[in-house]
Amino acid sequence: MVNSEYLKNLNKAQKDAVLHTEGPLLIVAGAGSGKTKVLTSRIANLIKEKKAFPNQILAVTFTNKAAKEMQLRVSKTLGSAAVGLPWLGTFHSICAKLLRKHASAANLNSNFTITDTDDQIRLIKNICKAENIDVKQLAPRYILAIIDRWKNRGFYPIEVIINQKDIYEKTILPIYKLYQQKLIELNACDFGDLILHCVKILEKNNDIREIYSKNFKYILVDEYQDTNFIQSRWLNLLTNKNKNICCVGDDDQSIYSWRGAEIKNFLEFDQVYKNTKIIRLEQNYRSTQNILSVASNLISNNQNRVGKNLKTTMEDGDLIKLNCFKNGKDEAIGVSDEIEKNKKKYSFNNTAILVRAIFQTREFEERFLKIGLPYRIIGGTKFYERAEIKDCVAYLRLVYQNKDDLAFERIINNPKRSLGETTLKSIHEFAKKNLLNLELSSKKMLEQNLIKPKAKIGLTLFLDLMMKWRNDLNSKKCNHVKLLQLILDESGYSSMLKNKKDLENENRLENIKELLNAMKEFDTLESFLEHVSLATSVDQEWDGEKINMMTMHASKGLEFDLIFLPGWEEGLFPHQKSIEEKGQNGLEEERRLAYVGITRAKKKAIISFSMNRFYQGDWIDSMASRFIDELPEKYIEKNTFLDETKDEIEDFEFNQDLDDDNVRSPGWIRYQKRIK
C-alpha cells in the first residue's frame, strides 16, 4: 500500500482518485472540492510509484496559470523528479509542440508562426477587399468566429457542410478556403489550426498516432466540462492505446457553450470510454453548509447532469439573504449599505458583486463613486472607460464644445469616413499654423479646397451633422438623451455595431443602452458631461483593498467571503436570449451559471432583484427570476414584506414595495403570489 506524504491530507474519495491509475477515470469534482490537489497528487503518485516517467504523462489544462500552478505543486511534492514534465500545458501549447515536430504533414515548415487576432483580422479584410465583400455588412470578427466554429467541429474548408438556414455561411465558406490557403502560403496558423492540424495528422498517419498513444501512458485533463469537439477528438486519438485517461471537471459548472464547449463530452464520457470508473469529490472545503444546500437544491432542477451531493465539515453559517428592491438604483444603494455594514467582518478584497451582464456594473459604479467605496472590475473595463462609452461621450462633448480637439480626434473617423491619419495630420498642421481648433481648421481647409476628394465627402458630412445636432439641441428640438440617439443613428455608429455580428458588439450595444439610462438621471447635457468628467477623474487607485465587480462567467475559479448576486429577474437572469436561442439547454446553462455564482461564496451570499428596472430605454415591470422559486425556503432569509392583513405600513421594514403614491407595483404583487 502506498503511504506517501502527499496522500495524508486527502479524504477517501480524493485518495481513491489518486490511486486508481488503470483504465478510464472520470472525477466529478464539485465546487471547492480540491480537484487541483487531486490532479497534482495523482501526477506525483504516478512518478513516485514508477508507473510512468515524467515524459510519459500528458497533463492538459485550459490556462497557462493553471499549468504553472500544477507544475509548481508537483515540483514541490517531488522536487527534482518533476523537473522533466514536458507534456504539461494548455491544449494549444501542447499541440503547437506536436505540430512543430510534424509540420510537414500539415504542409507547414517547423518554424511556422502563430497569428494573433490582429493579424487574422487584417488577413480577412484583405481577402474581403479582393473578393469585393463589404466588411461593413459582414464584420471580419464575425467571419473569424464562424471559421473558428468550423475548426472546433473538426472541418477543413473542403469538409464544411453549409447550414442552409444561415444566410452568411454561403458567403463565408469561400473566404475560409482563401484564408486557409493564405495561412499555408505564409507558413502560419491560427489558434484553431493548432488543434485541428494535430487531429488531422493523427487521423491520417497511423505511425505518428502510434508513437504518441504508446508514449503517453497516462493522460490527465483539467476542466473537462469545458472541452469542445476537436479537443475531445484529439484526446480520444491519443488514448487509443493505453486507455489510461483521467478527466476532472464539474458538469454543473459548464457555462461556456457560447465559445464552443460541449457538456456532452462530460456526460457521455463513460459511453466513449468503456469500463469507466466514476469518482465523485463531494467534500467542499470552501463554503458553509447553507450556501451548498441552496446551490445543490437549485442545480438539482437540471436534467442533464451526472449528479452529486456536496457537503462540508464547516458550520451551517448564515442563511442566504434574498432582497427585493424598488429599482436598480435602490438595489445599488442596498448593496453598498450592506457592504458598509459588514466591512469589519468581510474585507473589500474578499467581497464581490457578480452580475449576469457587464452593463449591470454601471449602477454600482455610480453609487460607489458617489460614496467613496473603492472597487475594481475583474475581466473587464470600468463603465465610463469602455471604448463605446468614450465614443458616445466624445460625440456629446464636441456637440457641446466645438473646441474639444481630443473629442474631435476620437470620433472624426469613427465610424469610418475615409478620414485617415494623413488627413488628420494635415488638419493638425493647418490648425497649428493658423492658431485654430481642429473643427474650425477643417472648415477652413474645405473652403480652400485643401482636402482630398474622397476625404472631402466624409468630412463635409461630419461637419454638417455636427451643425445639425447643435441646432437640434440649442433649439430644444430634442433633449440630451434624444440627442445621443440621433447621433448614434445619423452618424452610422449604431449601424456599425449592429452589422458586426458578434458577442462583443452585442455587449457594446447593451452598454450604450445603459448609458442612455444613465443620462436620463440628469436634466441637461452640461450636468451629465460634468458627471462623466468627475467619474473618470476620480482617483481609483486607492491604497488598500477594493471591492470586486465582475460577470458570473468571469468569477469561475474564484472565491470570496461575501458575494452579492443582483439582478435576478426574468429576461435578465435567466437571460432571454439564451433561452430563445437554445431552449431548455440554454435554461440549464443559465441555471449552472447561477450555481457557479452562489458557490463562489465562502461565508455569505446575498441575492437580490428589483420590481422595476430601467432596461433598454424603458421602465419595465420586472418579475423575480424563476431561479428564486427554486431556492429552498428553509435556507433563505427574505427581507420583511408588508403583511397584507395589517393596515399600518410602519410594520413594513423594507418599504420598497410602495410607489411614491403608496400604490403597490405589479412586480411586488406578483412576487407576493410567488412566495406564498
Side-chain angles (χ1 to χ4, degrees):
M1 181 69 184
V2 180
N3 187 23
S4 297
E5 204 62 37
Y6 54 82
L7 296 176
K8 288 182 179 178
N9 295 321
L10 302 179
N11 62 42
K12 186 180 182 305
Q14 289 175 328
K15 197 176 289 186
D16 289 346
V18 170
L19 298 178
H20 184 86
T21 57
E22 306 311 304
L25 173 65
L26 182 67
I27 303 175
V28 185
S33 62
K35 66 178 178 66
T36 305
K37 182 192 283 187
V38 168
L39 276 175
T40 52
S41 296
R42 187 175 168 87
I43 294 172
N45 183 63
L46 290 171
I47 297 170
K48 187 122 185 228
E49 296 302 310
K50 298 186 172 25
K51 296 277 185 180
F53 292 110
N55 69 342
Q56 294 175 317
I57 298 171
L58 173 65
V60 192
T61 66
F62 267 85
T63 65
N64 289 316
K65 184 182 175 184
K68 285 177 183 175
E69 185 182 355
M70 201 177 293
Q71 175 73 64
L72 192 67
R73 290 199 190 187
V74 174
S75 297
K76 192 175 178 181
T77 305
L78 295 181
S80 60
V83 170
L85 277 171
W87 299 105
L88 166 62
T90 64
F91 278 99
H92 290 112
S93 67
I94 292 169
C95 282
K97 192 172 181 176
L98 282 170
L99 191 55
R100 292 206 186 276
K101 289 178 180 288
H102 308 283
S104 60
N107 295 317
L108 294 166
N109 297 322
S110 59
N111 63 342
F112 63 82
T113 55
I114 302 169
T115 58
D116 60 18
T117 304
D118 288 344
D119 290 334
Q120 292 164 38
I121 289 171
R122 196 178 304 114
L123 185 53
I124 292 291
K125 281 181 176 177
N126 291 341
I127 292 169
C128 289
K129 188 177 180 180
E131 297 299 308
N132 293 315
I133 295 168
D134 187 358
V135 293
K136 291 180 181 177
Q137 298 299 317
L138 198 57
R141 285 185 183 275
Y142 181 70
I143 294 170
L144 283 169
I146 299 298
I147 290 173
D148 194 54
R149 188 173 76 195
W150 284 331
K151 289 184 177 183
N152 287 342
R153 296 298 303 162
F155 299 142
Y156 278 148
I158 198 170
E159 299 166 312
V160 172
I161 299 171
I162 295 288
N163 179 3
Q164 297 300 326
K165 293 180 181 178
D166 194 316
I167 60 173
Y168 298 105
E169 286 195 3
K170 287 181 182 177
T171 307
I172 296 173
L173 182 55
I175 299 173
Y176 180 21
K177 290 176 181 174
L178 293 169
Y179 174 74
Q180 283 304 105
Q181 287 171 15
K182 193 63 183 173
L183 285 174
I184 296 295
E185 288 171 17
L186 294 169
N187 191 37
C189 58
D190 61 21
F191 277 95
D193 285 331
L194 291 174
I195 304 179
L196 179 60
H197 287 329
C198 280
V199 165
K200 297 300 183 183
I201 289 169
L202 294 172
E203 285 179 341
K204 295 174 182 177
N205 299 273
N206 292 336
D207 54 336
I208 298 174
R209 185 172 70 248
E210 191 79 4
I211 291 168
Y212 289 102
S213 61
K214 273 186 178 178
N215 180 72
F216 296 136
K217 289 188 175 181
Y218 296 93
I219 296 175
L220 299 90
V221 188
D222 193 14
E223 303 287 5
Y224 188 66
Q225 80 280 345
D226 293 334
T227 55
N228 58 31
F229 172 84
I230 199 71
Q231 290 164 340
S232 177
R233 176 65 179 149
W234 178 71
L235 290 166
N236 190 252
L237 288 163
L238 292 175
T239 316
N240 191 44
K241 195 75 177 174
N242 290 309
K243 306 293 184 186
N244 293 329
I245 182 169
C246 167
C247 291
V248 184
D250 184 3
D251 52 317
D252 291 335
Q253 296 188 67
S254 179
I255 57 174
Y256 297 123
S257 68
W258 49 274
R259 66 186 191 197
E262 296 192 6
I263 191 173
K264 74 173 187 177
N265 290 342
F266 194 96
L267 299 176
E268 297 175 3
F269 183 89
D270 58 343
Q271 297 172 37
V272 175
Y273 299 98
K274 302 301 180 187
N275 303 314
T276 291
K277 183 172 178 67
I278 299 175
I279 295 177
R280 290 171 172 80
L281 304 184
E282 298 176 314
Q283 184 70 50
N284 176 282
Y285 295 94
R286 175 187 298 155
S287 308
T288 62
Q289 188 57 57
N290 284 335
I291 290 169
L292 293 183
S293 297
V294 168
S296 296
N297 270 266
L298 176 68
I299 201 64
S300 68
N301 290 279
N302 274 6
Q303 295 176 2
N304 297 308
R305 59 192 296 260
V306 176
K308 58 185 172 302
N309 183 29
L310 289 183
K311 52 189 180 292
T312 182
T313 55
M314 296 172 66
E315 59 196 24
D316 289 345
D318 293 343
L319 296 174
I320 277 63
K321 202 168 181 180
L322 177 61
N323 288 334
C324 173
F325 296 95
K326 184 177 176 180
N327 53 47
K329 194 171 194 177
D330 286 344
E331 186 176 44
I333 292 170
V335 168
S336 65
D337 287 350
E338 192 80 39
I339 290 171
E340 293 275 23
K341 188 172 77 177
N342 286 281
K343 65 183 179 183
K344 289 184 178 176
K345 192 174 181 181
Y346 306 116
S347 69
F348 288 165
N349 277 351
N350 269 308
T351 300
I353 300 169
L354 310 184
V355 296
R356 174 60 182 85
I358 194 65
F359 77 84
Q360 290 174 261
T361 67
R362 200 269 306 176
E363 293 271 25
F364 299 100
E365 290 189 60
E366 299 268 21
R367 176 64 182 169
F368 287 12
L369 288 167
K370 187 176 181 179
I371 63 175
L373 278 178
Y375 71 94
R376 65 171 68 89
I377 304 290
I378 305 290
T381 310
K382 292 172 183 174
F383 185 80
Y384 287 112
E385 292 174 10
R386 293 167 194 168
E388 61 278 9
I389 302 301
K390 292 175 83 170
D391 291 343
C392 291
V393 171
Y395 269 104
L396 292 169
R397 279 168 46 191
L398 192 60
V399 169
Y400 181 70
Q401 165 63 276
N402 72 341
K403 295 180 180 178
D404 194 332
D405 285 354
L406 291 174
F408 183 95
E409 282 184 292
R410 184 174 185 93
I411 60 169
I412 184 63
N413 201 38
N414 188 12
K416 301 291 184 188
R417 301 186 179 94
S418 301
L419 300 168
E421 290 296 322
T422 305
T423 305
L424 191 58
K425 186 181 176 184
S426 63
I427 295 172
H428 265 288
E429 288 171 352
F430 189 92
K432 188 177 179 181
K433 185 179 178 181
N434 296 281
L435 302 175
L436 301 170
N437 63 63
L438 296 182
E439 185 175 331
L440 192 53
S441 294
S442 302
K443 290 178 180 176
K444 294 288 186 186
M445 290 178 75
L446 284 170
E447 291 169 4
Q448 298 175 29
N449 205 26
L450 298 175
I451 302 291
K452 291 179 180 178
K454 193 175 180 182
K456 186 177 180 179
I457 298 168
L459 187 57
T460 303
L461 177 62
F462 176 74
L463 293 173
D464 288 347
L465 282 170
M466 270 295 156
M467 189 180 295
K468 175 193 176 293
W469 294 330
R470 285 179 187 132
N471 289 336
D472 287 344
L473 184 67
N474 294 332
S475 65
K476 297 188 178 176
K477 189 176 177 180
C478 64
N479 64 13
H480 56 294
V481 181
K482 180 65 178 174
L483 174 67
L484 179 56
Q485 291 172 323
L486 286 173
I487 289 171
L488 290 166
D489 288 340
E490 294 173 358
S491 69
Y493 197 95
S494 289
S495 298
M496 175 183 74
L497 293 183
K498 288 174 182 175
N499 290 335
K500 292 180 178 178
K501 287 179 63 68
D502 59 34
L503 184 63
E504 192 176 341
N505 278 316
E506 286 176 19
N507 288 334
R508 285 173 177 161
L509 286 166
E510 290 279 0
N511 285 331
I512 290 172
K513 289 169 184 173
E514 185 61 23
L515 178 67
L516 289 165
N517 297 346
M519 290 176 68
K520 293 186 178 183
E521 297 175 14
F522 300 87
D523 296 328
T524 64
L525 177 59
E526 182 182 20
S527 61
F528 171 70
L529 290 174
E530 184 177 314
H531 168 75
V532 174
S533 298
L534 292 170
T536 53
S537 66
V538 171
D539 182 12
Q540 274 284 288
E541 297 306 316
W542 287 285
D543 291 332
E545 300 193 335
K546 296 183 181 72
I547 299 153
N548 303 282
M549 290 188 208
M550 70 199 80
T551 63
M552 281 182 272
H553 282 103
S555 75
K556 191 165 174 289
L558 304 176
E559 58 183 43
F560 303 92
D561 287 342
L562 173 60
I563 288 286
F564 292 90
L565 297 157
W568 280 42
E569 298 136 32
E570 284 294 306
L572 184 54
F573 191 51
H575 203 285
Q576 190 63 32
K577 187 183 174 190
S578 187
I579 297 173
E580 286 174 355
E581 291 182 354
K582 303 173 197 167
Q584 185 64 27
N585 290 337
L587 176 61
E588 292 207 353
E589 181 156 343
E590 291 287 294
R591 191 177 283 112
R592 292 196 292 271
L593 192 55
Y595 174 84
V596 167
I598 294 170
T599 55
R600 298 313 91 195
K602 294 164 71 176
K603 296 177 181 177
K604 192 176 183 71
I606 301 175
I607 298 168
S608 60
F609 68 97
S610 299
M611 294 178 294
N612 301 279
R613 190 174 292 278
F614 202 75
Y615 183 57
Q616 299 194 355
D618 292 301
W619 280 104
I620 60 169
D621 172 28
S622 304
M623 190 169 186
S625 168
R626 70 190 74 187
F627 296 155
I628 287 174
D629 283 343
E630 297 170 1
L631 304 176
E633 295 265 342
K634 63 188 284 190
Y635 303 115
I636 300 294
E637 175 194 350
K638 297 172 184 161
N639 61 306
T640 308
F641 286 89
L642 180 64
D643 188 337
E644 292 190 69
T645 62
K646 295 180 181 180
D647 296 325
E648 298 181 6
I649 65 171
E650 285 79 16
D651 291 332
F652 182 52
E653 294 177 12
F654 200 103
N655 61 358
Q656 309 292 355
D657 61 311
L658 300 180
D659 292 328
D660 293 336
D661 56 356
N662 286 346
V663 176
R664 295 189 192 116
S665 74
W668 183 87
I669 294 166
R670 283 212 302 260
Y671 178 69
Q672 286 294 85
K673 288 177 181 176
R674 288 167 72 97
I675 64 173
K676 284 183 177 179

